[in-house]
Amino acid sequence: MSEPVTDAPRSPLRFLPLVLFGLLAALFLARLFAGDASRIPSALIGKPAPQFDLPALAGLKDTPGLATADLRKGHVSLVNIFASWCAPCRQEHPILMALTREERLKAAGVELYGLSYKDEAANALGFLQEEGNPFHRVGVDPAGRTAIDFGVYGVPETFVVKGDGTIAYKFIGPLTPSAVAATLLPEIEKAMGK
């Protein structure tokens, strides 16, 4: 007669892959929520804006194109990279419209410029005609070359540019009322030398 088979003691090492997976997942989650994506550093902060000369958006009445020279006219400029196909751009658009009505920015001569990124001209035009045009100038960048020169990660992004054409600040992602109050307006004031 043979002896009954007994279970051999199981090694605690059999749980090692599960434990390692759990630790790795926790690390990825912690890094995912660890920081503010809008605070990704830009290599262009403190440097001149790149050289560019973009045509105007065809059909957008009384709104000229955008060039580097426009950023060197002695007043602080905001350059907003947008596209009609970008859902967060549509989300932030009312904030941009509100910025153009901000009396203290008007008094300081701050101008908001748009850079239409990899968009069909008809779609960008329709977007600004439907939602309103907050921009003093709009440059069309169909290949995205100028946006690449600015170091754009994706749309929307907003740059604060000093009156001499030096990039002072970069905000990544859609602007929100709290981001404007807590971050963008103080950065504009710093760029104005206040």
Side-chain angles (χ1 to χ4, degrees):
M1 184 162 137
S2 63
E3 292 186 25
V5 178
T6 60
D7 288 329
R10 292 190 177 182
S11 169
L13 291 177
R14 71 176 189 253
F15 294 110
L16 186 60
L18 183 61
V19 169
L20 287 176
F21 175 77
L23 289 173
L24 206 61
L27 176 66
F28 286 141
L29 275 173
R31 293 302 301 154
L32 181 65
F33 298 106
D36 182 356
S38 69
R39 297 192 182 273
I40 296 172
S42 172
L44 295 180
I45 302 298
K47 296 188 175 151
Q51 290 294 319
F52 65 94
D53 189 1
L54 298 174
L57 180 59
L60 195 58
K61 197 172 183 181
D62 301 323
T63 307
L66 182 62
T68 306
D70 299 316
L71 304 178
R72 295 183 177 146
K73 292 190 173 179
H75 60 80
V76 171
S77 306
L78 300 177
V79 179
N80 179 261
I81 316 298
F82 76 97
S84 65
W85 47 262
C86 161
C89 296
R90 290 182 178 271
Q91 176 187 352
E92 83 169 351
H93 199 77
I95 310 288
L96 297 176
M97 294 297 291
L99 276 174
T100 62
R101 294 186 298 271
E102 186 75 38
E103 287 303 322
R104 63 184 167 160
L105 296 181
K106 280 184 190 177
V110 175
E111 292 191 357
L112 177 59
Y113 302 138
L115 192 149
S116 177
Y117 174 74
K118 290 188 176 181
D119 207 350
E120 296 291 327
N123 294 341
L125 178 62
F127 170 61
L128 293 177
Q129 286 175 334
E130 289 169 22
E131 304 295 328
N133 180 12
F135 305 116
H136 289 89
R137 296 177 169 271
V138 176
V140 178
D141 187 18
R145 183 70 233 168
T146 299
I148 289 170
D149 291 344
F150 265 94
V152 169
Y153 292 99
V155 288
E157 289 189 17
T158 304
F159 293 83
V160 176
V161 183
K162 293 181 180 180
D164 64 357
T166 302
I167 296 174
Y169 180 72
K170 174 181 180 178
F171 187 88
I172 299 171
L175 292 168
T176 62
S178 61
V180 167
T183 306
L184 191 66
L185 290 176
E187 290 295 338
I188 292 170
E189 288 181 7
K190 279 189 347 193
M192 289 189 296
K194 293 185 177 183

